[in-house]
């Protein structure tokens, strides 16, 4: 059993705290200053109307060019132009709302999809991400389709890790900055270390009260922030756990064999959302996309130009100092260690290529969170994962 093997391995190795709370806070503050890091949505920079207008214009032009060139195919003819009309006519606003039900974050405001040929319905290029209940959005544009209540139509905003459009019905009414600050930053809080009925892995919420068997937390619903009672369980804990190799591996393995979902398809996790939620359960804020995550460690190491032996030396040396993320173009993995003389990692993975004798290599669909060695793809046109790894990021000493 690979899961048990890696859990046992981390139990028997040094299990020191790799980053104290102040180090986590410093890392988060540093990330918020990076253009593509996890942004502090309470900051003036996120609320800049000039920045918002520029981002909307750039994305609109890029998507229009992709569709006109045939690189993206609309699931409904003309859907993109209708969406871009909403983008142009949406009104500037600056307020905070919180997701109260799982919802898609669209690159543009439309329910139609954008596909790359050949069409695979699981890969909608208009799906920027999936937002979990409890995620906060700073709303920067609103389009209400003639309704003035602000609780229907489309909202555009920044979630810290991503920007995009959501249906207003999936969000609370506006929440004051003070209440949002408390919701995000209150010290006494419940943290989800696995998916539960109310809170998903990586989410947390302020504690209002407790008894022997329950916590009362502050949690979003369709009316705003309300008291919600949760039964105490192994998947919930008071405060963020210590950031250790064992704890990180344990959090990752809770999701083993869960389905893969590109951009949050069907509520599932792709590679970067998986990593983001695992680290979120320790209070570490990561950006949403794998390339940005690869730059988010305490330090990073460029592995390009190294042979496999040199890469493994760098990876193993880094793993002695902390938790290691391995990045290759379009994919990010949590490094587990060496076994059977091979390096292993856990990631949410869609597919890989496998050689098939003299015939063309086969595409193998995993479509799940899996523990794999880095030999996948060896002797195919894509090359082995270890050959493709470009960067490692270290979280620790």
């Amino acid at each position: 059993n690979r899961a048990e093997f890696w859990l046992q391995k981390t139990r028997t190795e040094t299990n020191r705290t790799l980053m104290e709370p102040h180090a986590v806070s410093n890392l988060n503050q540093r990330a918020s200053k990076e253009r593509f890091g996890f942004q502090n949505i309470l900051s003036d920079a996120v609320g800049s109307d000039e920045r918002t207008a520029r981002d909307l214009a750039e994305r609109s032009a890029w998507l229009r060019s992709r569709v006109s060139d045939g690189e993206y195919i609309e699931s409904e003819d003309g859907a993109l132009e209708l969406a871009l009309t909403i983008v142009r006519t949406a009104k500037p606003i600056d307020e905070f709302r919180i997701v109260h039900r799982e919802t898609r974050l669209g690159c543009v405001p439309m329910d139609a999809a954008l596909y790359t040929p050949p069409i695979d319905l699981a890969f909608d290029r208009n799906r920027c991400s999936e937002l979990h209940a409890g995620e906060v959005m700073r709303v920067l544009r609103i389009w209400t389709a003639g309704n003035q209540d602000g609780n229907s139509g489309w909202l555009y905003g920044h979630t810290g890790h991503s920007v995009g459009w959501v249906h207003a019905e999936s969000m609370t009414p506006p929440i004051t900055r003070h209440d949002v600050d408390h919701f995000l930053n209150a010290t006494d809080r419940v943290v989800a270390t696995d998916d539960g009925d109310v809170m998903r892995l990586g989410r947390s919420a302020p504690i209002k009260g407790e008894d022997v068997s329950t916590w009362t937390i502050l949690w979003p619903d369709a009316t705003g922030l309300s008291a919600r009672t949760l039964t105490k369980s192994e998947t919930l804990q008071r405060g963020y756990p210590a950031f250790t190799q064992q704890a990180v591996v344990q959090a990752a393995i809770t999701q083993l064999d869960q389905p893969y979902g590109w951009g949050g398809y069907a509520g599932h996790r792709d590679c970067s959302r998986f990593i983001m939620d695992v680290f979120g359960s320790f209070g570490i804020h990561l950006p949403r996309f794998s390339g940005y995550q690869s730059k988010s460690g305490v330090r990073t190491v460029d592995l390009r130009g190294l042979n496999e032996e040199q890469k493994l030396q760098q990876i193993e040396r880094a793993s002695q100092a902390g938790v290691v993320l391995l990045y290759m173009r379009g994919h990010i993995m949590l490094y587990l260690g060496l076994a059977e003389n091979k390096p292993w990692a856990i990631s949410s993975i869609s597919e890989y290529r496998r050689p098939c004798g003299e015939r063309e290599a086969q595409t193998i669909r995993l479509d799940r969170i899996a523990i794999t060695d880095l030999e996948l793809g060896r002797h195919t046109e894509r090359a082995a994962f270890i050959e493709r790894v470009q960067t490692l990021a270290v979280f620790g000493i």
Side-chain angles (χ1 to χ4, degrees), residues 345-396:
I346 183 171
S347 65
S348 186
I349 185 169
S350 174
E351 64 179 38
Y352 68 95
R353 296 282 276 172
R354 184 171 67 186
C356 191
E358 296 182 358
R359 293 179 292 173
E360 183 180 354
Q362 295 176 312
T363 297
I364 306 299
R365 295 293 293 260
L366 282 180
D367 285 327
R368 60 187 172 87
I369 295 171
I371 295 173
T372 63
D373 62 50
L374 302 188
E375 287 291 300
L376 294 185
R378 176 80 71 185
H379 304 306
T380 71
E381 74 285 0
R382 292 185 187 175
F385 280 19
I386 185 61
E387 296 176 275
R388 296 164 59 190
V389 169
Q390 300 176 350
T391 311
L392 68 79
V394 187
F395 295 79

Side-chain angles (χ1 to χ4, degrees), residues 307-326:
N307 62 37
E308 289 183 43
E309 182 178 353
Q310 292 169 329
K311 285 183 179 181
L312 282 175
Q313 289 174 351
Q314 291 285 352
I315 293 168
E316 274 296 292
R317 185 178 299 121
S319 71
Q320 301 306 308
V323 172
V324 173
L325 297 182
L326 300 177

Side-chain angles (χ1 to χ4, degrees), residues 14-151:
T14 302
N15 196 33
R16 66 189 185 281
T17 298
L18 297 168
M19 287 196 294
E20 298 290 348
H22 73 274
V24 171
S25 177
N26 289 341
L27 184 66
N28 289 340
Q29 288 180 28
R30 191 188 80 185
S32 70
K33 297 175 183 177
E34 300 291 332
R35 178 71 175 85
F36 297 109
F38 187 101
Q39 302 291 291
N40 175 9
I41 62 171
L42 296 172
S43 71
D44 292 339
V46 167
S48 165
D49 189 64
E50 179 182 356
R51 168 177 166 166
T52 300
R54 182 181 65 248
D55 289 349
L56 287 170
E58 289 176 355
R59 177 175 287 181
S60 296
W62 187 81
L63 286 172
R64 180 181 280 121
S65 70
R66 300 285 284 189
V67 170
S68 65
D69 292 344
E71 296 179 60
Y72 282 177
I73 298 172
E74 298 169 284
S75 63
E76 300 175 14
D77 290 342
L80 179 62
E81 287 305 320
L82 290 175
L84 296 185
T85 298
I86 294 175
V87 174
R88 288 192 302 272
T89 58
K91 295 179 180 179
I93 198 169
D94 193 355
E95 63 186 26
F96 297 90
R97 301 191 188 210
I98 305 177
V99 181
H100 69 78
R101 68 183 187 204
E102 191 93 359
T103 189
R104 182 183 75 161
L105 183 73
C107 300
V108 290
M110 67 181 191
D111 293 318
L114 297 171
Y115 299 113
T116 54
I119 292 175
D120 183 335
L121 298 181
F123 290 82
D124 173 8
R125 305 298 168 169
N126 186 41
R127 178 180 283 277
C128 284
S129 187
E130 185 86 0
L131 300 183
H132 302 329
E135 293 196 63
V136 180
M137 173 181 276
R138 186 164 182 173
V139 180
L140 303 168
R141 291 289 189 273
I142 185 169
W143 186 84
T144 56
N147 300 314
Q148 300 304 314
D149 59 7
N151 294 321

